[in-house]
């Protein structure tokens, strides 16, 4: 059983950067695809970035965050990161990480393919 814990959320000004971490408190993440999802108030949860366990061409981003967000993983630390830059007020949401067994980057950004979820961390972008 994989248990995921997100951290790093907080309040930032528009244009600033923030890095979220997703760590496995139980189990090993290395063989899983990891996705980052977010849910704003009144909105459905959406996948924004994911990374598979493959070595090459293993990341996927939605257009809204492409070029601003970077997902990476450090298997030695059992952690996946989401580096967010040039944050906008519309990026404000609860951010969740999730793990799934899929090896396809097209799938790991979709909730239906993810089996384990963290509790989420709040990101607020406001002046």
């Amino acid at each position: 059983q994989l248990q995921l814990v997100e951290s790093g959320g907080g309040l930032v000004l528009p244009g600033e950067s923030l890095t979220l971490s997703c760590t496995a408190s139980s189990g090993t993440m290395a063989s899983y695809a990891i996705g980052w999802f977010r849910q704003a108030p009144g909105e459905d949860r959406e996948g924004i970035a994911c990374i598979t366990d493959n070595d090459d061409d293993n990341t996927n981003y939605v257009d809204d965050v492409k070029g601003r967000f970077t997902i990476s993983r450090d298997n030695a630390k059992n952690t996946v990161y989401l580096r967010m830059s040039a944050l906008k007020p519309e990026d404000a949401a609860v951010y969740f990480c999730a793990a799934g067994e899929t090896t396809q980057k097209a799938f790991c950004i979709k909730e239906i393919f993810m089996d384990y979820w963290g509790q989420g961390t709040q990101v607020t972008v406001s002046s």
Side-chain angles (χ1 to χ4, degrees):
Q1 184 86 5
L2 197 62
Q3 293 185 336
L4 303 176
V5 179
E6 303 94 338
S7 61
L11 171 64
V12 295
L13 296 170
E16 290 189 335
S17 299
L18 199 62
T19 299
L20 305 182
S21 299
C22 173
T23 301
S25 61
S26 172
T28 302
M29 301 170 76
S31 60
Y32 290 89
I34 304 296
W36 282 99
F37 298 76
R38 67 184 181 187
Q39 187 169 25
E43 303 288 334
D44 292 334
R45 189 160 57 185
E46 62 169 342
I48 57 170
C50 72
I51 186 167
T52 68
D53 61 345
N54 299 325
D55 290 334
D56 299 317
D57 191 24
N58 61 352
T59 61
N60 190 13
Y61 301 91
V62 294
D63 288 345
D64 188 39
V65 306
K66 201 172 293 184
R68 298 189 299 124
F69 291 11
T70 302
I71 189 170
S72 62
R73 66 191 306 158
D74 186 339
N75 290 333
K77 294 184 178 180
N78 220 13
T79 300
V80 171
Y81 304 97
L82 184 69
R83 170 72 173 173
M84 307 184 293
S85 60
L87 283 161
K88 307 173 184 178
E90 50 265 43
D91 293 317
V94 178
Y95 282 69
F96 301 87
C97 65
E101 296 183 359
T102 180
T103 59
Q104 303 299 314
K105 66 177 185 177
F107 296 160
C108 62
I109 208 165
K110 300 181 185 297
E111 285 194 49
I112 194 171
F113 292 100
M114 309 309 277
D115 302 306
Y116 304 100
W117 290 83
Q119 294 300 307
T121 185
Q122 177 72 50
V123 173
T124 303
V125 185
S126 175
S127 55

